[in-house]
């Protein structure tokens, strides 16, 4: 069982990373804005975040178990930075606003497109991490889902 101090340290890593990710999301979202009435910035943020999270988790999983520096990296960058950077709540809000304005086709298409492309982006991130894997790294590979839990 983890100590209270260890759990607080983990929470601190996630909070620090989340702060940085949220600031990055805000800045990029403001810079990219909307294109043709669609929240283009949020789409790019969620797709790039899905790619980066897939790549990060796969790269960590290829290197071994979720302990030590790998755990710290996952908590700070994965759960923290990329968790704060990506935004399901803003996606859901944007879709709800489109639907509420009678833009049913645009809202539905935006939601489906984000989910499908997000899944593809995560898969491409996993493939990229596998492709970039250096020889000699740990051959005991837990699955990416094991590395997340």
């Amino acid at each position: 069982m983890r100590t209270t101090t260890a759990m607080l340290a983990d929470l601190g890593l996630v909070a620090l990373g989340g702060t940085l990710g949220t600031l990055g999301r805000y800045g990029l979202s403001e810079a990219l804005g909307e294109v043709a009435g669609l929240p283009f910035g949020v789409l790019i943020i969620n797709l790039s975040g899905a790619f980066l999270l897939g790549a990060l988790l796969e790269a960590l999983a290829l290197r071994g178990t979720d302990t030590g520096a790998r755990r710290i990296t996952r908590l700070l960058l994965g759960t923290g930075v990329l968790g704060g950077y990506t935004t399901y709540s803003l996606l859901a809000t944007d879709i709800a606003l489109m639907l509420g304005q009678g833009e049913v086709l645009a809202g539905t298409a935006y939601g489906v497109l984000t989910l499908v492309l997000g899944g593809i982006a995560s898969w491409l991130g996993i493939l990229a991490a596998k492709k970039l894997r250096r020889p000699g790294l740990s051959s005991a590979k837990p699955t990416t889902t094991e590395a997340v839990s």
Side-chain angles (χ1 to χ4, degrees):
M1 180 154 164
R2 295 181 50 80
T3 67
T4 302
T5 303
M7 287 189 295
L8 288 174
D10 288 352
L11 287 172
L13 287 170
V14 172
L16 173 62
T19 299
L20 296 174
T22 301
L23 290 171
R25 171 180 21 112
Y26 176 76
L28 189 55
S29 179
E30 288 294 309
L32 296 176
E34 291 188 1
V35 173
L38 293 176
F40 182 70
V42 175
L43 176 66
I44 295 302
I45 287 164
N46 284 332
L47 296 181
S48 63
F51 175 85
L52 292 170
L53 187 59
L56 173 69
L57 293 180
E58 185 66 16
L60 292 173
L62 287 169
R63 285 165 176 73
T65 59
D66 188 42
T67 58
R70 285 181 298 277
R71 179 178 174 82
I72 289 169
T73 301
R74 178 182 58 81
L75 290 172
L76 178 65
L77 298 180
T79 307
V81 172
L82 293 173
Y85 175 70
T86 59
T87 172
Y88 178 82
S89 59
L90 190 51
L91 168 68
T93 300
D94 287 338
I95 293 168
L97 288 172
M98 285 184 231
L99 295 175
Q101 294 169 353
E103 299 172 14
V104 176
L105 182 58
T108 303
Y110 176 67
V112 169
L113 184 68
T114 300
L115 293 174
V116 170
L117 292 179
I120 292 169
S122 292
W123 176 66
L124 291 173
I126 290 167
L127 292 178
K130 285 181 181 180
K131 184 77 173 171
L132 295 174
R133 181 174 182 234
R134 292 181 302 205
L137 292 176
S138 173
S139 60
K141 182 197 176 299
T143 65
T144 303
T145 53
E146 288 174 349
V148 175
S149 48

